[in-house]
Amino acid sequence: MDPFTIGVILPGIPVQRRDGLDLPAAARHAEQAGLDGVWHGDHLAVGAPTLDAPVALATAAAATGRVTIGTSVLVPALRPLAWAAKQIATLQHVSGGRLVLGVGSGGGPAQWAAAGVPYAERGARTDTALTLLPSLLSGKRTPLPDGSAAELSLSVPMPPLFVGNASPAALRRAARLGDGWFPSLISPRAVADGRARLNDLAAGHGRPAPVIAIGCSAALGPGAPSRAELAAGIASAYDRPVADVMDIPLTGTPEQAAERLAAYREAGASHAVVGVSGDDWRTQVDFLAQARALLF
């Protein structure tokens, strides 16, 4: 049977406060429950309290010894490229090589304005970052787009690079530059269709097909938010019709979640990164770990 890993998004500040749970305790709980990774998003000026992703993940790395430490997703184009490379290299070092670098170019215009980066340049800056990061992380002196050059004092192995988003541009970017394609909140059918396109694109570049990781939302067990509630939240947050996302959330029992994750595995995914909702983050992680056990 093909391997299938499951990681969880670490709790945000409101959930930490609600559950009396700090990041080290959350990361340790996920590891001890049997999950494969802990992940954190990257947000700037979004109008809600959020932690800096590299700092949060360094904290999680220090509290664990086995799980993947993943960015879901880092937006390197918001940063000067040499600085982004230094943050990534530091995370790779302090985690003992456990980093998986999910990368995207998302966020609304306000986030890019807060960083002083033109919104229209996000795609080109992301391509540049993905192209130059391997050289920067290797410690080589690397020419930068502005005509300068940078050489990091810290040399580390390049972490696996997962390109976020389900857009055609993200598929092309993953096929050309990534080790993985990392779409979120899509159906198994969409994964299968994307896999076929991804394989063709990668072959055109003479590269092996990237792996597929899916981002998904879950609320498991009795008393958890319903599928309709989760779907309404997804539709509102991403400006999508409710009918298009109704079947995406993982709900019900761990057995039902395992069946749904198995459908993604059949469609070609080998990793899932799950954001959980419910009254207690630890309990949701335990249910998710039960679902993982049922997949093997």
Side-chain angles (χ1 to χ4, degrees), residues 82 136 139-142 149-154:
L136 284 165
K140 296 177 182 176
R141 186 167 179 80
T142 302
E151 181 177 348
L152 298 186
S153 57
L154 178 63

Side-chain angles (χ1 to χ4, degrees), residues 163-217:
V163 177
N165 207 304
S167 69
L171 263 175
R172 292 192 296 270
R173 192 172 284 137
R176 183 166 57 93
L177 298 168
D179 303 297
W181 176 47
F182 190 7
S184 290
L185 304 174
I186 66 173
S187 68
R189 174 61 184 270
V191 169
D193 292 344
R195 179 191 187 188
R197 178 63 176 151
L198 184 68
N199 291 353
D200 288 345
L201 288 168
H205 292 290
R207 303 184 70 234
V211 301
I212 299 174
I214 56 142
C216 55
S217 174

Side-chain angles (χ1 to χ4, degrees), residues 2-51:
D2 292 337
F4 193 88
T5 71
I6 298 178
V8 66
I9 302 291
L10 287 164
I13 292 175
V15 173
Q16 291 177 42
R17 291 171 175 167
R18 183 197 70 191
D19 293 351
L21 181 67
D22 62 18
L23 278 181
R28 283 192 296 268
H29 186 85
E31 182 170 70
Q32 292 165 3
L35 295 184
D36 302 290
V38 292
W39 297 68
H40 201 284
D42 186 32
H43 305 287
L44 176 67
V46 293
T50 59
L51 298 175

Side-chain angles (χ1 to χ4, degrees), residues 7-294:
V8 66
I9 302 291
L10 287 164
I13 292 175
V15 173
Q16 291 177 42
R17 291 171 175 167
R18 183 197 70 191
D19 293 351
L21 181 67
D22 62 18
L23 278 181
R28 283 192 296 268
H29 186 85
E31 182 170 70
Q32 292 165 3
L35 295 184
D36 302 290
V38 292
W39 297 68
H40 201 284
D42 186 32
H43 305 287
L44 176 67
V46 293
T50 59
L51 298 175
D52 178 76
V55 174
L57 286 171
T59 301
T64 58
R66 174 184 59 82
V67 290
T68 289
I69 306 296
T71 57
S72 178
V73 290
L74 190 77
V75 187
L78 285 173
R79 301 160 169 85
L81 181 54
W83 188 255
K86 184 72 168 183
Q87 290 182 307
I88 293 163
T90 301
L91 264 178
Q92 180 74 316
H93 176 76
V94 301
S95 69
R98 290 183 284 143
L99 179 63
V100 172
L101 184 63
V103 168
S105 58
Q111 176 165 268
W112 294 84
V117 178
Y119 186 63
E121 295 180 9
R122 65 194 186 281
R125 287 174 63 93
T126 299
D127 284 340
T128 297
L130 301 192
T131 300
L132 297 182
L133 277 172
S135 177
L136 284 165
L137 295 185
S138 73
K140 296 177 182 176
R141 186 167 179 80
T142 302
L144 300 178
D146 63 1
S148 66
E151 181 177 348
L152 298 186
S153 57
L154 178 63
S155 174
V156 298
M158 180 68 190
L161 176 63
F162 289 8
V163 177
N165 207 304
S167 69
L171 263 175
R172 292 192 296 270
R173 192 172 284 137
R176 183 166 57 93
L177 298 168
D179 303 297
W181 176 47
F182 190 7
S184 290
L185 304 174
I186 66 173
S187 68
R189 174 61 184 270
V191 169
D193 292 344
R195 179 191 187 188
R197 178 63 176 151
L198 184 68
N199 291 353
D200 288 345
L201 288 168
H205 292 290
R207 303 184 70 234
V211 301
I212 299 174
I214 56 142
C216 55
S217 174
L220 303 177
S226 67
R227 176 172 294 162
E229 290 174 299
L230 292 182
I234 292 169
S236 175
Y238 296 95
D239 194 25
R240 296 170 64 179
V242 173
D244 287 356
V245 299
M246 184 60 72
D247 291 337
I248 289 174
L250 306 177
T251 57
T253 65
E255 289 79 8
Q256 290 170 318
E259 289 179 8
R260 188 66 175 168
L261 290 167
Y264 282 106
R265 181 170 60 184
E266 289 295 321
S270 53
H271 309 273
V273 177
V274 185
V276 297
S277 303
D279 290 339
D280 183 80
W281 189 86
R282 298 176 188 86
T283 299
Q284 287 298 312
V285 166
D286 292 342
F287 282 137
L288 191 59
Q290 290 175 37
R292 181 196 180 280
L294 291 167

